[in-house]
Amino acid sequence: MNLPMEAKILHAELINKLSGHLDPSVGLEFEQFRNSLSVHLMPAEMSKSESLFSLLNNLGKKGKFGAGNYSVLKSLITNPHILSIIESYEQKINEILFPERVSKSTASMETDGPPNPLRLTEQDLQRLASCFGSGWEMFVGQLGVSSEKVDQKKIENPAHMPSQVYNCLLVWFRQCPKRPTITVFDQTLQNSLDFCSVNMDKYENLKRDIENR
């Protein structure tokens, strides 16, 4: 695709902003991100990549990163603030690249009635995922995520449970015909507490934030 200049500029702006959060000088945040990329990059590519730019460049060569193509990147990010930055630029770029999709989406939203503040966002899922402990696989299974998908997300995000949970929640979120609500999420969770460990104090605070926004 021959990218419009405006999309290229926004993409470059995004990389520049991300470098402020995922630069090697940041330390732990960068190392966690770099380690999570080991699923997508070969060891030789990893060893030669000592900066965010080189990591993203190698990811781009595999067709897994580019203007508007941020699915893999988002699956590796655990910081809600960084995720919101990516989603903001993704929306702007997609409005340029796929204006017909945006118009259809807008029309669909208009026919669905007024916005429902209880509807979850991907950022909400990121925060909710941090509440789960052992047995979370059973919970996402209750939401309709297959065991094959669960295993896949575990392999893609080894040794980091919140990322595993978040990416499984994304599978559920994206396969729903309409954006799901915290009400549906909560009903399923309440029915899963016998076999799923959850930090309920943290969860109730997050749930309250979503319900009151």
Side-chain angles (χ1 to χ4, degrees):
M1 177 188 294
N2 189 14
L3 291 175
M5 182 56 67
E6 190 177 356
K8 291 180 180 179
I9 292 173
L10 286 171
H11 180 64
E13 282 183 9
L14 172 60
I15 294 175
N16 187 49
K17 283 203 172 187
L18 291 178
S19 66
H21 296 277
L22 294 172
D23 188 83
S25 62
V26 177
L28 181 61
E29 190 98 52
F30 176 76
E31 282 305 312
Q32 288 178 341
F33 174 71
R34 190 172 184 274
N35 291 338
S36 66
L37 275 172
S38 61
V39 177
H40 302 282
L41 298 179
M42 300 294 289
E45 295 170 318
M46 295 286 293
S47 64
K48 295 177 182 177
S49 301
E50 297 299 332
S51 69
L52 176 67
F53 179 80
S54 58
L55 286 170
L56 294 179
N57 186 49
N58 283 329
L59 200 60
K61 289 177 181 178
K62 294 179 176 292
K64 297 182 177 182
F65 177 76
N69 178 14
Y70 304 129
S71 296
V72 170
L73 178 63
K74 289 195 297 181
S75 74
L76 303 173
I77 298 296
T78 59
N79 184 311
H81 177 61
I82 299 176
L83 186 66
S84 68
I85 293 173
I86 298 170
E87 290 175 343
S88 174
Y89 275 87
E90 181 179 41
Q91 181 178 349
K92 293 175 185 176
I93 291 172
N94 283 336
E95 286 174 358
I96 297 168
L97 299 180
F98 311 107
E100 69 285 353
R101 292 186 191 175
V102 175
S103 61
K104 286 181 181 178
S105 175
T106 302
S108 174
M109 288 177 64
E110 289 173 352
T111 58
D112 285 343
N116 185 346
L118 298 181
R119 293 199 185 280
L120 295 168
T121 66
E122 292 187 8
Q123 190 170 357
D124 291 333
L125 299 182
Q126 185 97 23
R127 298 162 67 201
L128 290 167
S130 66
C131 299
F132 288 85
S134 61
W136 65 267
E137 300 94 337
M138 298 285 286
F139 168 68
V140 298
Q142 292 293 311
L143 290 174
V145 181
S146 69
S147 58
E148 291 80 8
K149 279 291 183 184
V150 172
D151 290 341
Q152 177 188 336
K153 298 308 177 184
K154 282 185 170 183
I155 293 171
E156 291 176 356
N157 302 275
H160 195 264
M161 186 187 297
S163 293
Q164 296 171 1
V165 180
Y166 168 63
N167 281 283
C168 286
L169 291 178
L170 274 183
V171 172
W172 164 67
F173 182 83
R174 291 170 179 171
Q175 69 188 13
C176 291
K178 289 185 179 180
R179 201 148 51 92
T181 64
I182 186 62
T183 306
V184 172
F185 186 95
D186 184 62
Q187 288 172 345
T188 306
L189 177 62
Q190 297 302 327
N191 292 330
S192 306
L193 292 177
D194 288 342
F195 48 77
C196 181
S197 173
V198 181
N199 182 334
M200 290 304 294
D201 288 339
K202 184 176 183 179
Y203 170 72
E204 289 295 342
N205 286 333
L206 291 174
K207 177 172 170 281
R208 194 177 305 113
D209 287 345
I210 294 170
E211 291 173 336
N212 293 334
R213 66 187 172 201

